[in-house]
Amino acid sequence: MSRAHQQRSAHLTRRPHWHRPLAGFAALAAAMAGLTALNAPAATAGTAVRAASATTTATAAAVLVSTGKPASASSVEASGFEAGKAVDASATTRWASVEGVDPQWIRVDLGAAHTISRVKLDWEAAYGKAYRIQTSNDGTNWTDIYSTSTGNGATDDLTVTGTGRYVRVYATARGTAYGYSLFAFEVYGSPVSGGSDTTAPSTPGGLRATATTSTSVSLAWDAATDNVGVTGYDVYRGATHVAGVTGTSYTNTGLTASTSYGYTVRARDAAGNVSPAGNALSVTTQPASGSGPAVPFGGHSRPYAAGTLKPTGTQSTLDQKTVAYYNSWKSAFVRQNCGNGWYQIISPDADHPYVAEAQGYGMVIAATMAGADPDAKKIFDGLTKWMIDHPSAVNPDLLAAEQDTACRSVNGGDGATDGDMDVAYGLLLADKQWGSAGTYDYKALAIKHINAIKKDELNPSTHLLKLGDWSSSGDQYYYITRTSDWMVDHFRAFRTATGDAAWDTVRSAHQNQITNLQASYAPNTGLLPDFVVNTNTTPKPAPGQVLEDPNDGAYWWNACRTPWRIADDAVTSGDAKSLASARKINSWIKGKTGGDPNKIAIGYKLDGTQISSGSEAAYFAPFALAAMTDAGSQAWLDALWNKMLTTPIDTSSYFSASIQLQVMITASGNHWVP
């Protein structure tokens, strides 16, 4: 927000192909470290040592059961490196994950429960140093049957003991700076005999397309039922089995533009019983210039960090509740009041009808809801045009912070950091969703915006964000920063988009300030103040009113967003600092309220003293995301989620409603970092 806006709401980089290390070197490294197999016979597991071929001795009687079976993975580096390439019996194709992200996994569905006795992994140069072999009967609950923290690549031929329908490699530490890649993921064993369950699941109905692009179709369907329990679904394109999934959605990629495809889905249970096919669906992909979303809402193609909680309930229910709230938010706040092809997010609770913060929220929300809302791209483009046509008077590559009822920029027309951060992030989301070859070059606009933030909204000496582009060296605000602007996942996205390592420095500076402020000024609560002063010497909470309110140094109408912003990074990156900061806040608020969200007040001093009574979504909703980071907070998370569901949307407050919607997007598993 600008100085006068003083109210509460105030690429895929290719690496050279590595050759495998010589077997002698692999053997030497392996001979220096033990590999530990879990639940395996003592004679073969505890201290197995690799021979010159980098293998552990495996039993000879096992039968290969994984070839050609449905496989899936946590991520795929690019087209041609899908999970199925690791089980296709070819020595020249491979699965490859995205680079530089832990953990990653690949799993194979054997179709029915098997006794597993051997797993063989043929690594490309991008190998797993630490990984586990796991089995599951339902694709959700996993049992470790092997673990190592000293992997050295080449071939791992492992003797194991376990039972399950699904077998997974769950990798937690890379052996190189890149990702994980397997030429072969071979599972050996035999089907489990016996069993008395012969009842097939009910037929899954309601098969529908939720999004299309020129190369993909996103599907969803209604859950089936079973006398024991449905363990998964098989998706068929014509007569071809294209996927086995545990949820009720799937995105089929690698398709041809302007082509019709027919789909059916069957449900299955742990005993291997399969339902009849559900309703047939014919879907036509977009033309080559089509604009369907690449990451449709509800697709869940970007899994969160291991251990992240989600509210109790089926994934489809979580998605449906979020979409329902979005529809209410859209009806209340998305407007076309000014003509010119513009869309705006109305801000009835601000001192001007249109503020940059609201437009930034709208751009992020619209890009994220693509696939659930067929109007998402139209809305986003209208917001983009509004942004372009209302440039900051200080830096025209930024957005002017405030507009009046005549849709004209006012109060100097300068920029506000919070709005600009979300505008840039929203443009990056749009580039990933729809590409940048249409009306707007989203990627170019994003990079211009990011560079402008760096030039005029970032303090070059402290590496901390300023309040806006209007603050300059020598003024009283130059060494003041607002904690709700500290969007760590945005900094990561800016680094990826621009390749500018300065954003790593910026991210670290803000994370360090969060840690230091919690330790020095809120050791019992973890709460952050609205504003931090003296950033050039000893940063500390504002001693009183420095910009907006006498509570500028308290957890008030700006800082109430910080649990959301911190946790967004924690759940997507698994970063230790973000996790620790979110968990500290969560531990305090859960204890303060006794696990009752109705006791969350409006504002706190940093020592936890309540400022005002009442209940406001801007305060209670963000704590839900902090709860997602703590394994012991499932009941607390569920209580917060239910509080959101039972609290009617406040159509007079874009601020609270927009915050709750973005919290629900993350809580339902739909937040992702471009």
Side-chain angles (χ1 to χ4, degrees):
M1 301 170 210
S2 70
R3 188 165 25 192
H5 188 49
Q6 297 177 14
Q7 81 291 335
R8 63 169 187 156
S9 57
H11 72 248
L12 180 63
T13 301
R14 290 288 180 187
R15 63 179 184 270
H17 182 75
W18 288 15
H19 295 287
R20 294 173 178 276
L22 295 176
F25 286 98
L28 177 61
M32 299 172 66
L35 298 175
T36 303
L38 305 181
N39 302 325
T44 61
T47 58
V49 178
R50 296 173 187 244
S53 60
T55 66
T56 54
T57 304
T59 55
V63 175
L64 180 61
V65 294
S66 55
T67 300
K69 295 297 175 64
S72 57
S74 53
S75 67
V76 176
E77 181 183 19
S79 178
F81 296 98
E82 295 82 8
K85 303 296 186 181
V87 294
D88 62 0
S90 170
T92 59
T93 60
R94 60 187 174 93
W95 163 69
S97 75
V98 296
E99 298 180 353
V101 179
D102 294 313
Q104 297 287 336
W105 54 262
I106 180 173
R107 77 176 193 184
V108 62
D109 175 6
L110 303 179
H114 281 64
T115 298
I116 311 303
S117 58
R118 177 187 176 196
V119 172
K120 183 179 179 183
L121 307 177
D122 185 11
W123 295 99
E124 194 247 1
Y127 68 92
K129 181 179 180 181
Y131 65 87
R132 304 194 291 270
I133 306 297
Q134 301 174 313
T135 59
S136 173
N137 288 320
D138 57 10
T140 300
N141 300 294
W142 296 91
T143 300
D144 292 351
I145 61 172
Y146 177 84
S147 176
T148 183
S149 60
T150 57
N152 62 3
T155 300
D156 292 336
D157 198 347
L158 311 171
T159 297
V160 296
T161 298
T163 301
R165 173 175 180 155
Y166 304 89
V167 182
R168 180 168 78 168
V169 180
Y170 188 83
T172 56
R174 289 164 283 121
T176 71
Y178 302 108
Y180 300 91
S181 185
L182 285 167
F183 284 103
F185 173 22
E186 297 181 355
V187 179
Y188 295 78
S190 59
V192 174
S193 60
S196 57
D197 180 16
T198 59
T199 301
S202 65
T203 302
L207 179 61
R208 56 202 179 273
T210 58
T212 61
T213 71
S214 59
T215 60
S216 68
V217 169
S218 295
L219 304 170
W221 54 90
D222 299 333
T225 59
D226 185 67
N227 62 317
V228 176
V230 175
T231 58
Y233 299 88
D234 293 314
V235 182
Y236 291 85
R237 187 179 65 231
T240 302
H241 181 272
V242 293
V245 298
T246 57
T248 55
S249 63
Y250 172 70
T251 298
N252 189 196
T253 59
L255 305 178
T256 302
S258 302
T259 303
S260 294
Y261 294 93
Y263 293 92
T264 54
V265 176
R266 298 174 182 264
R268 43 183 162 72
D269 62 19
N273 301 306
V274 179
S275 76
N279 61 292
L281 176 70
S282 179
V283 187
T284 301
T285 52
Q286 299 271 352
S289 59
S291 57
V295 189
F297 180 91
H300 304 285
S301 58
R302 309 282 185 95
Y304 288 167
T308 301
L309 300 180
K310 281 197 287 188
T312 299
T314 65
Q315 184 61 69
S316 60
T317 298
L318 299 181
D319 291 343
Q320 290 163 10
K321 296 296 185 182
T322 305
V323 171
Y325 194 88
Y326 165 75
N327 288 332
S328 297
W329 174 89
K330 177 183 174 183
S331 176
F333 304 110
V334 178
R335 294 288 185 271
Q336 287 182 286
N337 289 343
C338 304
N340 295 318
W342 294 332
Y343 272 84
Q344 315 87 33
I345 307 303
I346 194 79
S347 49
D349 46 333
D351 57 0
H352 290 86
Y354 314 111
V355 296
E357 177 185 83
Q359 313 319 313
Y361 286 164
M363 292 176 77
V364 172
I365 290 168
T368 305
M369 297 304 297
D373 182 359
D375 293 331
K377 189 174 187 297
K378 180 171 66 175
I379 293 170
F380 188 92
D381 283 353
L383 292 168
T384 298
K385 190 174 190 303
W386 174 273
M387 179 271 297
I388 293 171
D389 293 345
H390 293 85
S392 166
V394 177
N395 188 322
D397 290 333
L398 299 173
L399 170 62
E402 299 159 330
Q403 289 77 39
D404 61 15
T405 54
C407 307
R408 298 171 301 194
S409 296
V410 294
N411 286 346
D414 44 30
T417 302
D418 51 1
D420 286 321
M421 289 285 292
D422 274 334
V423 167
Y425 191 81
L427 287 164
L428 292 177
L429 290 171
D431 172 61
K432 297 299 184 185
Q433 287 286 41
W434 302 297
S436 291
T439 304
Y440 298 106
D441 186 337
Y442 304 126
K443 183 68 173 291
L445 288 170
I447 290 177
K448 284 175 62 177
H449 221 87
I450 293 165
N451 290 338
I453 292 170
K454 181 182 177 184
K455 177 179 180 292
D456 284 318
E457 292 183 333
L458 183 70
N459 190 306
S461 61
T462 66
H463 307 295
L464 299 175
L465 291 171
K466 300 189 299 176
L467 302 175
D469 63 358
W470 49 267
S471 176
S472 58
S473 180
D475 72 31
Q476 68 188 86
Y477 303 102
Y478 192 59
Y479 292 109
I480 298 176
T481 183
R482 178 176 30 231
T483 59
S484 56
D485 296 353
W486 300 357
M487 308 171 197
V488 179
D489 59 346
H490 290 35
F491 299 142
R492 294 186 194 277
F494 296 173
R495 170 65 166 92
T496 299
T498 64
D500 185 351
W503 289 108
D504 290 334
T505 302
V506 171
R507 173 175 54 81
S508 295
H510 287 85
Q511 288 186 290
N512 289 339
Q513 283 303 320
I514 293 170
T515 300
N516 294 338
L517 287 165
Q518 287 184 319
S520 299
Y521 297 98
N524 298 320
T525 66
L527 297 177
L528 299 179
D530 272 17
F531 296 94
V532 178
V533 301
N534 299 346
T535 60
N536 59 325
T537 55
T538 304
K540 65 178 183 179
Q545 182 169 349
V546 296
L547 186 71
E548 295 184 1
D549 189 278
N551 288 313
D552 280 353
Y555 183 82
W556 197 226
W557 285 101
N558 287 292
C560 63
R561 295 171 283 185
T562 56
W564 155 41
R565 295 303 195 182
I566 294 169
D568 263 1
D569 183 64
V571 303
T572 53
S573 74
D575 181 90
K577 287 185 178 179
S578 293
L579 284 168
S581 296
R583 287 167 177 166
K584 189 175 185 69
I585 296 170
N586 177 67
S587 177
W588 169 76
I589 190 62
K590 183 169 66 169
K592 174 78 172 179
T593 61
D596 182 358
N598 294 310
K599 295 181 179 179
I600 296 174
I602 297 178
Y604 294 95
K605 301 296 185 181
L606 299 190
D607 65 2
T609 302
Q610 176 179 318
I611 295 176
S612 181
S613 61
S615 182
E616 186 79 34
Y619 283 88
F620 63 72
F623 288 125
L625 303 191
M628 292 173 67
T629 68
D630 175 44
S633 291
Q634 185 67 61
W636 171 233
L637 171 59
D638 290 345
L640 287 160
W641 177 257
N642 290 330
K643 170 74 171 174
M644 288 189 280
L645 297 185
T646 56
T647 301
I649 189 170
D650 183 354
T651 58
S652 68
S653 175
Y654 88 92
F655 186 73
S656 283
S658 299
I659 290 171
Q660 175 165 322
L661 173 55
Q662 290 175 92
V663 166
M664 293 179 72
I665 287 170
T666 300
S668 64
N670 286 289
H671 177 62
W672 53 280
V673 180

